[in-house]
Amino acid sequence: MPDFFEEVDSIGIVEQHIQGVLKLEESKANALLRRYKDIRQDLRDRLDFIPGDTFSAQQLRGVLTQVDAAITAMSISLSTGMQEQAGIFALRGVEDGITELQKFEKIFQGAVVPININRMLAAQETSNFLLNKYEASINAYSEDLRASIVGSLTNEALAESPLSSVVRRLGQFFVGEEWKLLRIARTEFHNIYNLGKQNSLTEVRDEVLPDLMKTLMHPMDSRTGADSIALAKENPIVPIDEPFVQEWRGKKFIFMTPPNRPNDRAVLVPYRDAWQRD
């Protein structure tokens, strides 16, 4: 008989959940990006009204004030947007985890497991736990962005570069930052989703299935990283409360839930030894 992982592939429910949450992540991340673009355009409009032909030290303070205000507005907007969406991804993780567990239990054991946990409460606890984490990610990014722009504009002022060129390059710089914002949003949304799964499965283990464990599944396509392909071949299975560990190119990666790096698309999946067919 095929083993658990081969049979799960044929069932398709995990792949369906993966594609669903990845699509949702992309949609919500793009919605946050639209807020960023609005702020970026407002900054560009303000800079276009700066008088003069060359960028001088006197103009530096005013431009930095405008840039700092834009970065602050961007941070607040992104943080608020992520908080608004956190509950959606947490609940999605809770629901998908329970659905997978019940599906596997019925297929492999021929039984239906009654799940009586408070799904909304599990999702809310997940959202609250990650609140400081994704705010810290946004703040760290904003500080790096601010430092980079200050250094660049200071050099432009010292060189007395043409003002029009400075404004154009500044606008191009913000455009180039869009992929970083998308990466932050997708990564944090994916983290919330998987932690929602982890929390719901922990409750099920404590209440119903004491032998419940966890494993990983990875979407396989042209975007799948070599480290994810290697980890998929290992098929790690660990207790709910213990981390996954991967040795990769001389480094050790330890993580409780995916993602273990930016853009990692692996998902947490429930597992029981009773589901493994010899």
Side-chain angles (χ1 to χ4, degrees), residues 229-264:
I229 294 174
L231 190 57
K233 292 179 179 179
E234 296 178 19
N235 286 331
I237 299 168
V238 300
I240 296 288
D241 293 333
E242 294 185 14
F244 295 101
V245 179
Q246 182 183 22
E247 299 277 353
W248 176 250
R249 293 181 177 174
K251 296 182 179 180
K252 180 180 287 188
F253 297 89
I254 303 174
F255 56 101
M256 289 296 293
T257 64
N260 70 324
R261 58 165 173 78
N263 290 329
D264 175 31

PDB file of all heavy atoms in Angstrom, residues 229-264:
ATOM      1  N   ILE A 229      12.718  21.431  -1.591  1.00  0.00           N
ATOM      2  CA  ILE A 229      12.711  20.133  -2.270  1.00  0.00           C
ATOM      3  C   ILE A 229      13.425  19.091  -1.417  1.00  0.00           C
ATOM      4  O   ILE A 229      12.953  17.955  -1.254  1.00  0.00           O
ATOM      5  CB  ILE A 229      13.375  20.246  -3.650  1.00  0.00           C
ATOM      6  CG1 ILE A 229      12.533  21.156  -4.572  1.00  0.00           C
ATOM      7  CG2 ILE A 229      13.557  18.870  -4.290  1.00  0.00           C
ATOM      8  CD1 ILE A 229      13.183  21.451  -5.908  1.00  0.00           C
ATOM      9  N   ALA A 230      14.556  19.490  -0.835  1.00  0.00           N
ATOM     10  CA  ALA A 230      15.310  18.565   0.015  1.00  0.00           C
ATOM     11  C   ALA A 230      14.513  18.192   1.259  1.00  0.00           C
ATOM     12  O   ALA A 230      14.488  17.025   1.675  1.00  0.00           O
ATOM     13  CB  ALA A 230      16.646  19.201   0.412  1.00  0.00           C
ATOM     14  N   LEU A 231      13.840  19.158   1.868  1.00  0.00           N
ATOM     15  CA  LEU A 231      13.063  18.893   3.078  1.00  0.00           C
ATOM     16  C   LEU A 231      11.856  18.019   2.769  1.00  0.00           C
ATOM     17  O   LEU A 231      11.471  17.163   3.580  1.00  0.00           O
ATOM     18  CB  LEU A 231      12.623  20.212   3.717  1.00  0.00           C
ATOM     19  CG  LEU A 231      12.009  20.125   5.121  1.00  0.00           C
ATOM     20  CD1 LEU A 231      12.973  19.439   6.093  1.00  0.00           C
ATOM     21  CD2 LEU A 231      11.635  21.504   5.631  1.00  0.00           C
ATOM     22  N   ALA A 232      11.275  18.207   1.593  1.00  0.00           N
ATOM     23  CA  ALA A 232      10.130  17.392   1.194  1.00  0.00           C
ATOM     24  C   ALA A 232      10.532  15.921   1.068  1.00  0.00           C
ATOM     25  O   ALA A 232       9.733  15.021   1.356  1.00  0.00           O
ATOM     26  CB  ALA A 232       9.554  17.895  -0.117  1.00  0.00           C
ATOM     27  N   LYS A 233      11.752  15.668   0.643  1.00  0.00           N
ATOM     28  CA  LYS A 233      12.236  14.289   0.522  1.00  0.00           C
ATOM     29  C   LYS A 233      12.444  13.652   1.902  1.00  0.00           C
ATOM     30  O   LYS A 233      12.325  12.439   2.058  1.00  0.00           O
ATOM     31  CB  LYS A 233      13.542  14.259  -0.269  1.00  0.00           C
ATOM     32  CG  LYS A 233      13.377  14.625  -1.737  1.00  0.00           C
ATOM     33  CD  LYS A 233      14.710  14.600  -2.460  1.00  0.00           C
ATOM     34  CE  LYS A 233      14.535  14.956  -3.939  1.00  0.00           C
ATOM     35  NZ  LYS A 233      15.845  14.972  -4.666  1.00  0.00           N
ATOM     36  N   GLU A 234      12.734  14.470   2.899  1.00  0.00           N
ATOM     37  CA  GLU A 234      12.931  13.955   4.253  1.00  0.00           C
ATOM     38  C   GLU A 234      11.602  13.613   4.932  1.00  0.00           C
ATOM     39  O   GLU A 234      11.559  12.753   5.812  1.00  0.00           O
ATOM     40  CB  GLU A 234      13.679  14.983   5.110  1.00  0.00           C
ATOM     41  CG  GLU A 234      15.090  15.292   4.636  1.00  0.00           C
ATOM     42  CD  GLU A 234      15.750  16.358   5.491  1.00  0.00           C
ATOM     43  OE1 GLU A 234      15.286  16.600   6.630  1.00  0.00           O
ATOM     44  OE2 GLU A 234      16.724  16.968   5.024  1.00  0.00           O
ATOM     45  N   ASN A 235      10.542  14.316   4.562  1.00  0.00           N
ATOM     46  CA  ASN A 235       9.227  14.130   5.197  1.00  0.00           C
ATOM     47  C   ASN A 235       9.331  14.102   6.721  1.00  0.00           C
ATOM     48  O   ASN A 235       8.999  13.097   7.374  1.00  0.00           O
ATOM     49  CB  ASN A 235       8.567  12.838   4.693  1.00  0.00           C
ATOM     50  CG  ASN A 235       8.046  12.964   3.282  1.00  0.00           C
ATOM     51  OD1 ASN A 235       7.680  14.050   2.847  1.00  0.00           O
ATOM     52  ND2 ASN A 235       8.024  11.867   2.559  1.00  0.00           N
ATOM     53  N   PRO A 236       9.787  15.186   7.326  1.00  0.00           N
ATOM     54  CA  PRO A 236       9.956  15.182   8.782  1.00  0.00           C
ATOM     55  C   PRO A 236       8.619  15.069   9.520  1.00  0.00           C
ATOM     56  O   PRO A 236       7.632  15.683   9.120  1.00  0.00           O
ATOM     57  CB  PRO A 236      10.609  16.539   9.056  1.00  0.00           C
ATOM     58  CG  PRO A 236      10.133  17.411   7.934  1.00  0.00           C
ATOM     59  CD  PRO A 236      10.078  16.498   6.731  1.00  0.00           C
ATOM     60  N   ILE A 237       8.612  14.278  10.565  1.00  0.00           N
ATOM     61  CA  ILE A 237       7.431  14.113  11.420  1.00  0.00           C
ATOM     62  C   ILE A 237       7.878  14.368  12.851  1.00  0.00           C
ATOM     63  O   ILE A 237       8.814  13.726  13.334  1.00  0.00           O
ATOM     64  CB  ILE A 237       6.851  12.697  11.305  1.00  0.00           C
ATOM     65  CG1 ILE A 237       6.401  12.425   9.862  1.00  0.00           C
ATOM     66  CG2 ILE A 237       5.678  12.521  12.265  1.00  0.00           C
ATOM     67  CD1 ILE A 237       6.080  10.966   9.595  1.00  0.00           C
ATOM     68  N   VAL A 238       7.238  15.314  13.522  1.00  0.00           N
ATOM     69  CA  VAL A 238       7.646  15.671  14.880  1.00  0.00           C
ATOM     70  C   VAL A 238       6.405  15.865  15.759  1.00  0.00           C
ATOM     71  O   VAL A 238       5.311  16.122  15.259  1.00  0.00           O
ATOM     72  CB  VAL A 238       8.494  16.969  14.902  1.00  0.00           C
ATOM     73  CG1 VAL A 238       9.766  16.803  14.076  1.00  0.00           C
ATOM     74  CG2 VAL A 238       7.689  18.155  14.397  1.00  0.00           C
ATOM     75  N   PRO A 239       6.571  15.756  17.089  1.00  0.00           N
ATOM     76  CA  PRO A 239       5.461  16.059  17.990  1.00  0.00           C
ATOM     77  C   PRO A 239       4.990  17.503  17.826  1.00  0.00           C
ATOM     78  O   PRO A 239       5.772  18.375  17.405  1.00  0.00           O
ATOM     79  CB  PRO A 239       6.069  15.827  19.384  1.00  0.00           C
ATOM     80  CG  PRO A 239       7.179  14.858  19.146  1.00  0.00           C
ATOM     81  CD  PRO A 239       7.745  15.227  17.802  1.00  0.00           C
ATOM     82  N   ILE A 240       3.742  17.753  18.140  1.00  0.00           N
ATOM     83  CA  ILE A 240       3.147  19.078  17.962  1.00  0.00           C
ATOM     84  C   ILE A 240       3.971  20.173  18.630  1.00  0.00           C
ATOM     85  O   ILE A 240       4.160  21.263  18.066  1.00  0.00           O
ATOM     86  CB  ILE A 240       1.709  19.113  18.529  1.00  0.00           C
ATOM     87  CG1 ILE A 240       0.796  18.158  17.752  1.00  0.00           C
ATOM     88  CG2 ILE A 240       1.138  20.529  18.494  1.00  0.00           C
ATOM     89  CD1 ILE A 240       0.453  18.607  16.363  1.00  0.00           C
ATOM     90  N   ASP A 241       4.500  19.915  19.822  1.00  0.00           N
ATOM     91  CA  ASP A 241       5.196  20.940  20.594  1.00  0.00           C
ATOM     92  C   ASP A 241       6.692  21.033  20.288  1.00  0.00           C
ATOM     93  O   ASP A 241       7.395  21.804  20.937  1.00  0.00           O
ATOM     94  CB  ASP A 241       5.020  20.693  22.095  1.00  0.00           C
ATOM     95  CG  ASP A 241       3.575  20.884  22.538  1.00  0.00           C
ATOM     96  OD1 ASP A 241       2.857  21.657  21.876  1.00  0.00           O
ATOM     97  OD2 ASP A 241       3.169  20.253  23.531  1.00  0.00           O
ATOM     98  N   GLU A 242       7.178  20.257  19.337  1.00  0.00           N
ATOM     99  CA  GLU A 242       8.601  20.285  19.016  1.00  0.00           C
ATOM    100  C   GLU A 242       8.838  20.910  17.642  1.00  0.00           C
ATOM    101  O   GLU A 242       7.961  20.867  16.778  1.00  0.00           O
ATOM    102  CB  GLU A 242       9.183  18.869  19.072  1.00  0.00           C
ATOM    103  CG  GLU A 242       9.182  18.273  20.462  1.00  0.00           C
ATOM    104  CD  GLU A 242       9.865  16.924  20.521  1.00  0.00           C
ATOM    105  OE1 GLU A 242      10.572  16.563  19.545  1.00  0.00           O
ATOM    106  OE2 GLU A 242       9.702  16.230  21.534  1.00  0.00           O
ATOM    107  N   PRO A 243      10.012  21.501  17.427  1.00  0.00           N
ATOM    108  CA  PRO A 243      10.285  22.181  16.163  1.00  0.00           C
ATOM    109  C   PRO A 243      10.763  21.228  15.075  1.00  0.00           C
ATOM    110  O   PRO A 243      11.236  20.123  15.347  1.00  0.00           O
ATOM    111  CB  PRO A 243      11.402  23.157  16.543  1.00  0.00           C
ATOM    112  CG  PRO A 243      12.154  22.423  17.613  1.00  0.00           C
ATOM    113  CD  PRO A 243      11.098  21.700  18.408  1.00  0.00           C
ATOM    114  N   PHE A 244      10.619  21.687  13.846  1.00  0.00           N
ATOM    115  CA  PHE A 244      11.262  21.024  12.714  1.00  0.00           C
ATOM    116  C   PHE A 244      12.722  21.475  12.680  1.00  0.00           C
ATOM    117  O   PHE A 244      13.032  22.618  13.025  1.00  0.00           O
ATOM    118  CB  PHE A 244      10.580  21.414  11.399  1.00  0.00           C
ATOM    119  CG  PHE A 244       9.153  20.956  11.290  1.00  0.00           C
ATOM    120  CD1 PHE A 244       8.109  21.851  11.523  1.00  0.00           C
ATOM    121  CD2 PHE A 244       8.847  19.653  10.961  1.00  0.00           C
ATOM    122  CE1 PHE A 244       6.790  21.446  11.428  1.00  0.00           C
ATOM    123  CE2 PHE A 244       7.525  19.232  10.864  1.00  0.00           C
ATOM    124  CZ  PHE A 244       6.494  20.131  11.098  1.00  0.00           C
ATOM    125  N   VAL A 245      13.602  20.589  12.249  1.00  0.00           N
ATOM    126  CA  VAL A 245      15.018  20.917  12.144  1.00  0.00           C
ATOM    127  C   VAL A 245      15.515  20.465  10.770  1.00  0.00           C
ATOM    128  O   VAL A 245      15.288  19.317  10.371  1.00  0.00           O
ATOM    129  CB  VAL A 245      15.849  20.228  13.245  1.00  0.00           C
ATOM    130  CG1 VAL A 245      17.327  20.573  13.081  1.00  0.00           C
ATOM    131  CG2 VAL A 245      15.359  20.637  14.630  1.00  0.00           C
ATOM    132  N   GLN A 246      16.161  21.375  10.059  1.00  0.00           N
ATOM    133  CA  GLN A 246      16.731  21.033   8.762  1.00  0.00           C
ATOM    134  C   GLN A 246      18.192  21.447   8.704  1.00  0.00           C
ATOM    135  O   GLN A 246      18.544  22.586   9.021  1.00  0.00           O
ATOM    136  CB  GLN A 246      15.970  21.713   7.610  1.00  0.00           C
ATOM    137  CG  GLN A 246      16.536  21.331   6.229  1.00  0.00           C
ATOM    138  CD  GLN A 246      15.857  22.052   5.080  1.00  0.00           C
ATOM    139  OE1 GLN A 246      15.249  23.114   5.271  1.00  0.00           O
ATOM    140  NE2 GLN A 246      15.946  21.492   3.882  1.00  0.00           N
ATOM    141  N   GLU A 247      19.035  20.523   8.297  1.00  0.00           N
ATOM    142  CA  GLU A 247      20.439  20.812   8.021  1.00  0.00           C
ATOM    143  C   GLU A 247      20.543  21.102   6.527  1.00  0.00           C
ATOM    144  O   GLU A 247      20.224  20.245   5.702  1.00  0.00           O
ATOM    145  CB  GLU A 247      21.319  19.615   8.389  1.00  0.00           C
ATOM    146  CG  GLU A 247      21.265  19.227   9.858  1.00  0.00           C
ATOM    147  CD  GLU A 247      22.185  20.074  10.715  1.00  0.00           C
ATOM    148  OE1 GLU A 247      22.960  20.879  10.141  1.00  0.00           O
ATOM    149  OE2 GLU A 247      22.129  19.935  11.951  1.00  0.00           O
ATOM    150  N   TRP A 248      20.995  22.315   6.215  1.00  0.00           N
ATOM    151  CA  TRP A 248      21.028  22.694   4.799  1.00  0.00           C
ATOM    152  C   TRP A 248      22.260  23.541   4.520  1.00  0.00           C
ATOM    153  O   TRP A 248      22.414  24.618   5.069  1.00  0.00           O
ATOM    154  CB  TRP A 248      19.752  23.457   4.421  1.00  0.00           C
ATOM    155  CG  TRP A 248      19.725  23.986   3.016  1.00  0.00           C
ATOM    156  CD1 TRP A 248      19.795  25.288   2.631  1.00  0.00           C
ATOM    157  CD2 TRP A 248      19.642  23.219   1.802  1.00  0.00           C
ATOM    158  NE1 TRP A 248      19.758  25.396   1.257  1.00  0.00           N
ATOM    159  CE2 TRP A 248      19.650  24.134   0.723  1.00  0.00           C
ATOM    160  CE3 TRP A 248      19.550  21.850   1.537  1.00  0.00           C
ATOM    161  CZ2 TRP A 248      19.587  23.725  -0.604  1.00  0.00           C
ATOM    162  CZ3 TRP A 248      19.480  21.438   0.207  1.00  0.00           C
ATOM    163  CH2 TRP A 248      19.483  22.368  -0.839  1.00  0.00           C
ATOM    164  N   ARG A 249      23.136  23.011   3.687  1.00  0.00           N
ATOM    165  CA  ARG A 249      24.342  23.711   3.262  1.00  0.00           C
ATOM    166  C   ARG A 249      25.142  24.257   4.439  1.00  0.00           C
ATOM    167  O   ARG A 249      25.536  25.421   4.480  1.00  0.00           O
ATOM    168  CB  ARG A 249      23.988  24.836   2.283  1.00  0.00           C
ATOM    169  CG  ARG A 249      23.438  24.299   0.957  1.00  0.00           C
ATOM    170  CD  ARG A 249      23.104  25.404  -0.026  1.00  0.00           C
ATOM    171  NE  ARG A 249      22.645  24.839  -1.291  1.00  0.00           N
ATOM    172  CZ  ARG A 249      22.176  25.543  -2.320  1.00  0.00           C
ATOM    173  NH1 ARG A 249      22.089  26.873  -2.201  1.00  0.00           N
ATOM    174  NH2 ARG A 249      21.794  24.960  -3.435  1.00  0.00           N
ATOM    175  N   GLY A 250      25.344  23.383   5.410  1.00  0.00           N
ATOM    176  CA  GLY A 250      26.177  23.729   6.545  1.00  0.00           C
ATOM    177  C   GLY A 250      25.499  24.528   7.630  1.00  0.00           C
ATOM    178  O   GLY A 250      26.147  24.893   8.618  1.00  0.00           O
ATOM    179  N   LYS A 251      24.209  24.811   7.465  1.00  0.00           N
ATOM    180  CA  LYS A 251      23.484  25.582   8.467  1.00  0.00           C
ATOM    181  C   LYS A 251      22.319  24.756   9.010  1.00  0.00           C
ATOM    182  O   LYS A 251      21.800  23.864   8.331  1.00  0.00           O
ATOM    183  CB  LYS A 251      22.958  26.893   7.885  1.00  0.00           C
ATOM    184  CG  LYS A 251      24.053  27.866   7.441  1.00  0.00           C
ATOM    185  CD  LYS A 251      23.444  29.153   6.929  1.00  0.00           C
ATOM    186  CE  LYS A 251      24.521  30.145   6.494  1.00  0.00           C
ATOM    187  NZ  LYS A 251      23.940  31.415   5.993  1.00  0.00           N
ATOM    188  N   LYS A 252      21.914  25.061  10.227  1.00  0.00           N
ATOM    189  CA  LYS A 252      20.788  24.391  10.852  1.00  0.00           C
ATOM    190  C   LYS A 252      19.623  25.371  10.982  1.00  0.00           C
ATOM    191  O   LYS A 252      19.782  26.453  11.535  1.00  0.00           O
ATOM    192  CB  LYS A 252      21.167  23.857  12.232  1.00  0.00           C
ATOM    193  CG  LYS A 252      20.027  23.132  12.949  1.00  0.00           C
ATOM    194  CD  LYS A 252      20.462  22.617  14.309  1.00  0.00           C
ATOM    195  CE  LYS A 252      21.385  21.425  14.155  1.00  0.00           C
ATOM    196  NZ  LYS A 252      21.660  20.787  15.474  1.00  0.00           N
ATOM    197  N   PHE A 253      18.478  24.961  10.463  1.00  0.00           N
ATOM    198  CA  PHE A 253      17.276  25.784  10.530  1.00  0.00           C
ATOM    199  C   PHE A 253      16.282  25.101  11.464  1.00  0.00           C
ATOM    200  O   PHE A 253      15.942  23.932  11.284  1.00  0.00           O
ATOM    201  CB  PHE A 253      16.666  25.954   9.139  1.00  0.00           C
ATOM    202  CG  PHE A 253      17.570  26.685   8.181  1.00  0.00           C
ATOM    203  CD1 PHE A 253      18.495  25.988   7.406  1.00  0.00           C
ATOM    204  CD2 PHE A 253      17.510  28.066   8.074  1.00  0.00           C
ATOM    205  CE1 PHE A 253      19.330  26.666   6.531  1.00  0.00           C
ATOM    206  CE2 PHE A 253      18.348  28.745   7.195  1.00  0.00           C
ATOM    207  CZ  PHE A 253      19.256  28.049   6.433  1.00  0.00           C
ATOM    208  N   ILE A 254      15.824  25.839  12.476  1.00  0.00           N
ATOM    209  CA  ILE A 254      14.908  25.316  13.481  1.00  0.00           C
ATOM    210  C   ILE A 254      13.653  26.191  13.490  1.00  0.00           C
ATOM    211  O   ILE A 254      13.750  27.408  13.661  1.00  0.00           O
ATOM    212  CB  ILE A 254      15.564  25.314  14.875  1.00  0.00           C
ATOM    213  CG1 ILE A 254      16.865  24.489  14.857  1.00  0.00           C
ATOM    214  CG2 ILE A 254      14.602  24.752  15.920  1.00  0.00           C
ATOM    215  CD1 ILE A 254      17.643  24.567  16.151  1.00  0.00           C
ATOM    216  N   PHE A 255      12.495  25.576  13.297  1.00  0.00           N
ATOM    217  CA  PHE A 255      11.262  26.358  13.245  1.00  0.00           C
ATOM    218  C   PHE A 255      10.080  25.504  13.679  1.00  0.00           C
ATOM    219  O   PHE A 255      10.008  24.315  13.397  1.00  0.00           O
ATOM    220  CB  PHE A 255      11.028  26.914  11.837  1.00  0.00           C
ATOM    221  CG  PHE A 255      10.993  25.862  10.742  1.00  0.00           C
ATOM    222  CD1 PHE A 255       9.784  25.425  10.226  1.00  0.00           C
ATOM    223  CD2 PHE A 255      12.180  25.325  10.226  1.00  0.00           C
ATOM    224  CE1 PHE A 255       9.741  24.462   9.223  1.00  0.00           C
ATOM    225  CE2 PHE A 255      12.147  24.362   9.225  1.00  0.00           C
ATOM    226  CZ  PHE A 255      10.928  23.932   8.721  1.00  0.00           C
ATOM    227  N   MET A 256       9.158  26.121  14.414  1.00  0.00           N
ATOM    228  CA  MET A 256       7.965  25.417  14.889  1.00  0.00           C
ATOM    229  C   MET A 256       6.944  25.218  13.771  1.00  0.00           C
ATOM    230  O   MET A 256       6.297  24.180  13.682  1.00  0.00           O
ATOM    231  CB  MET A 256       7.320  26.185  16.041  1.00  0.00           C
ATOM    232  CG  MET A 256       8.104  26.140  17.339  1.00  0.00           C
ATOM    233  SD  MET A 256       8.252  24.480  18.040  1.00  0.00           S
ATOM    234  CE  MET A 256       6.549  24.134  18.493  1.00  0.00           C
ATOM    235  N   THR A 257       6.761  26.262  12.948  1.00  0.00           N
ATOM    236  CA  THR A 257       5.828  26.196  11.825  1.00  0.00           C
ATOM    237  C   THR A 257       6.459  26.885  10.625  1.00  0.00           C
ATOM    238  O   THR A 257       7.322  27.745  10.780  1.00  0.00           O
ATOM    239  CB  THR A 257       4.502  26.906  12.154  1.00  0.00           C
ATOM    240  OG1 THR A 257       4.748  28.307  12.353  1.00  0.00           O
ATOM    241  CG2 THR A 257       3.865  26.330  13.408  1.00  0.00           C
ATOM    242  N   PRO A 258       6.025  26.530   9.415  1.00  0.00           N
ATOM    243  CA  PRO A 258       6.467  27.292   8.251  1.00  0.00           C
ATOM    244  C   PRO A 258       5.889  28.699   8.321  1.00  0.00           C
ATOM    245  O   PRO A 258       4.870  28.912   9.002  1.00  0.00           O
ATOM    246  CB  PRO A 258       5.875  26.515   7.061  1.00  0.00           C
ATOM    247  CG  PRO A 258       5.429  25.201   7.632  1.00  0.00           C
ATOM    248  CD  PRO A 258       5.111  25.440   9.062  1.00  0.00           C
ATOM    249  N   PRO A 259       6.505  29.658   7.625  1.00  0.00           N
ATOM    250  CA  PRO A 259       7.691  29.535   6.791  1.00  0.00           C
ATOM    251  C   PRO A 259       8.985  29.599   7.600  1.00  0.00           C
ATOM    252  O   PRO A 259       9.041  30.311   8.599  1.00  0.00           O
ATOM    253  CB  PRO A 259       7.575  30.749   5.861  1.00  0.00           C
ATOM    254  CG  PRO A 259       6.867  31.780   6.690  1.00  0.00           C
ATOM    255  CD  PRO A 259       5.904  31.009   7.547  1.00  0.00           C
ATOM    256  N   ASN A 260      10.001  28.862   7.160  1.00  0.00           N
ATOM    257  CA  ASN A 260      11.291  28.921   7.844  1.00  0.00           C
ATOM    258  C   ASN A 260      12.219  29.953   7.202  1.00  0.00           C
ATOM    259  O   ASN A 260      13.342  30.143   7.652  1.00  0.00           O
ATOM    260  CB  ASN A 260      11.969  27.544   7.844  1.00  0.00           C
ATOM    261  CG  ASN A 260      12.441  27.123   6.462  1.00  0.00           C
ATOM    262  OD1 ASN A 260      11.780  27.424   5.475  1.00  0.00           O
ATOM    263  ND2 ASN A 260      13.554  26.422   6.392  1.00  0.00           N
ATOM    264  N   ARG A 261      11.716  30.629   6.162  1.00  0.00           N
ATOM    265  CA  ARG A 261      12.436  31.714   5.490  1.00  0.00           C
ATOM    266  C   ARG A 261      11.426  32.501   4.663  1.00  0.00           C
ATOM    267  O   ARG A 261      10.320  32.009   4.395  1.00  0.00           O
ATOM    268  CB  ARG A 261      13.545  31.158   4.581  1.00  0.00           C
ATOM    269  CG  ARG A 261      13.024  30.196   3.522  1.00  0.00           C
ATOM    270  CD  ARG A 261      14.011  29.923   2.420  1.00  0.00           C
ATOM    271  NE  ARG A 261      13.532  28.882   1.526  1.00  0.00           N
ATOM    272  CZ  ARG A 261      12.622  29.034   0.575  1.00  0.00           C
ATOM    273  NH1 ARG A 261      12.033  30.211   0.403  1.00  0.00           N
ATOM    274  NH2 ARG A 261      12.263  28.036  -0.209  1.00  0.00           N
ATOM    275  N   PRO A 262      11.778  33.727   4.236  1.00  0.00           N
ATOM    276  CA  PRO A 262      10.866  34.488   3.364  1.00  0.00           C
ATOM    277  C   PRO A 262      10.548  33.707   2.090  1.00  0.00           C
ATOM    278  O   PRO A 262      11.417  33.051   1.514  1.00  0.00           O
ATOM    279  CB  PRO A 262      11.660  35.757   3.052  1.00  0.00           C
ATOM    280  CG  PRO A 262      12.570  35.923   4.225  1.00  0.00           C
ATOM    281  CD  PRO A 262      12.961  34.526   4.622  1.00  0.00           C
ATOM    282  N   ASN A 263       9.301  33.764   1.677  1.00  0.00           N
ATOM    283  CA  ASN A 263       8.807  33.119   0.463  1.00  0.00           C
ATOM    284  C   ASN A 263       8.711  31.601   0.557  1.00  0.00           C
ATOM    285  O   ASN A 263       8.416  30.942  -0.444  1.00  0.00           O
ATOM    286  CB  ASN A 263       9.645  33.505  -0.770  1.00  0.00           C
ATOM    287  CG  ASN A 263       9.452  34.953  -1.173  1.00  0.00           C
ATOM    288  OD1 ASN A 263       8.380  35.520  -0.987  1.00  0.00           O
ATOM    289  ND2 ASN A 263      10.501  35.563  -1.705  1.00  0.00           N
ATOM    290  N   ASP A 264       8.962  31.016   1.725  1.00  0.00           N
ATOM    291  CA  ASP A 264       8.736  29.585   1.902  1.00  0.00           C
ATOM    292  C   ASP A 264       7.232  29.338   1.898  1.00  0.00           C
ATOM    293  O   ASP A 264       6.480  29.999   2.617  1.00  0.00           O
ATOM    294  CB  ASP A 264       9.349  29.123   3.225  1.00  0.00           C
ATOM    295  CG  ASP A 264       9.032  27.666   3.528  1.00  0.00           C
ATOM    296  OD1 ASP A 264       8.900  26.882   2.567  1.00  0.00           O
ATOM    297  OD2 ASP A 264       8.924  27.315   4.719  1.00  0.00           O
TER     298      ASP A 264
END
